[in-house]
Amino acid sequence: MYGVWQIKGKTFVVTGGSSGLGEATIRAIVERGGNVIIFDINEERGQAIAAEFPNSVLWPGVTDVAGEDSVLESIAKGVEKFGNISGVVNCGGIGMAQKIVFRNGEPQSLEIFQEVVRVNLVGTFNVCRLIAAHIIANIKKQTEKEEDPGIIINVASIAYTEGQTGQTAYSASKGGVAGMTLPMARDLAGSVRVCTIAPGFFGTPMGNNIKNSILDKHMIHPNRMGKPSEFAHLACAIIENPMMNGEIVRIDGAVRLGKL
């Protein structure tokens, strides 16, 4: 079909692929005929998913998304199995709810803030730069140039604009991810498209900690948490549509949060 970028036969990295949004994205890509390299630290789940799809999913070993050597090693293993990589969906991240000053007057540990930013923001940037460099290197080897050779999808959160009490570190990290979207798309123009998805409440290990009373009060339609498969459907739609670039897309059932 004209204007549709095919997933079939292409290889993608999915960070945070051992659970939640990442796992659902892996399954959606495989269903459409693509291959996936899992970047995650959950070895047991990563190996289990790869064993389920031995011909199309690779567990290269534990990958620290914020570590250059770790990411490069996993990229190399993925290339060895599947060949060139066409894109990445960066679902990997951690959450933390903690006020910056506790009731006893003690400040939040700087190390906690640094770790959230290291994984969510630095890790996302690290994977983006290394995957983009891989894609660009492959473009230079091609005799016949593609119009749309690569794709990066990052994952922010509605917390980047509507962060709640205790989410200073998380909101800062996701705000950074959202803020990279347009300049990264401009940096990589002609080689790699860049979009960011900002999910609301989803039924994931992180999202399942949300209280039902909060959902009942703030959800619009549908009046429930999002399903990881719905996130994955959107990720695949962005991959397949060449005009999706430089955009932050909310997927949240119209929820808009004041202070909870």
Side-chain angles (χ1 to χ4, degrees):
M1 184 185 300
Y2 182 76
V4 173
W5 198 75
Q6 296 296 322
I7 290 175
K8 185 176 181 180
K10 292 187 172 67
T11 298
F12 303 86
V13 167
V14 176
T15 73
S18 292
S19 64
L21 304 181
E23 181 179 348
T25 301
I26 289 173
R27 295 181 183 280
I29 289 172
V30 170
E31 185 180 322
R32 290 162 174 78
N35 304 312
V36 178
I37 308 158
I38 304 173
F39 284 12
D40 208 311
I41 60 173
N42 188 332
E43 188 164 12
E44 183 179 355
R45 281 297 302 148
Q47 288 178 338
I49 295 167
E52 190 177 343
F53 305 104
N55 296 322
S56 50
V57 176
L58 173 68
W59 170 256
V62 171
T63 306
D64 174 11
V65 293
E68 181 172 21
D69 291 342
S70 182
V71 170
L72 286 173
E73 183 178 345
S74 293
I75 288 174
K77 290 178 181 178
V79 170
E80 183 179 358
K81 181 173 175 67
F82 296 124
N84 295 335
I85 298 168
S86 296
V88 58
V89 184
N90 276 307
C91 298
I94 59 176
M96 185 276 296
Q98 201 173 83
K99 290 185 178 181
I100 66 168
V101 178
F102 302 125
R103 289 182 179 178
N104 64 4
E106 290 294 318
Q108 180 189 111
S109 166
L110 181 59
E111 286 74 18
I112 290 177
F113 184 92
Q114 289 173 326
E115 181 62 9
V116 173
V117 172
R118 187 189 79 86
V119 175
N120 293 358
L121 179 54
V122 176
T124 295
F125 175 77
N126 186 47
V127 174
C128 286
R129 72 186 182 94
L130 296 176
I131 293 294
H134 166 84
I135 293 170
I136 290 169
N138 290 332
I139 293 171
K140 292 179 179 178
K141 299 175 187 175
Q142 296 171 357
T143 54
E144 202 170 306
K145 306 297 182 184
E146 296 180 72
E147 179 190 48
D148 193 28
I151 175 75
I152 288 171
I153 298 176
N154 293 325
V155 180
S157 163
I158 60 170
Y160 92 94
T161 57
E162 298 163 23
Q164 298 302 307
T165 300
Q167 286 190 322
T168 300
Y170 184 72
S171 296
S173 68
K174 292 303 187 178
V177 170
M180 291 193 297
T181 308
L182 184 56
M184 191 180 291
R186 287 170 168 163
D187 281 356
L188 299 174
S191 303
V192 183
R193 290 184 288 120
V194 181
C195 282
T196 295
I197 300 175
F201 298 129
F202 272 74
T204 65
M206 189 184 300
N208 286 334
N209 294 323
I210 304 296
K211 297 178 181 178
N212 288 333
S213 59
I214 293 175
L215 296 177
D216 291 341
K217 182 178 180 180
H218 292 279
M219 295 305 295
I220 306 299
H221 178 82
N223 187 22
R224 60 168 172 81
M225 279 192 172
K227 300 174 184 178
S229 60
E230 293 167 332
F231 171 93
H233 182 276
L234 174 59
C236 288
I238 291 172
I239 291 171
E240 292 173 336
N241 191 325
M243 282 301 289
M244 289 299 300
N245 192 20
E247 190 57 79
I248 302 166
V249 184
R250 290 178 64 126
I251 177 169
D252 55 24
V255 66
R256 295 296 183 270
L257 299 179
K259 181 181 177 183
L260 298 182

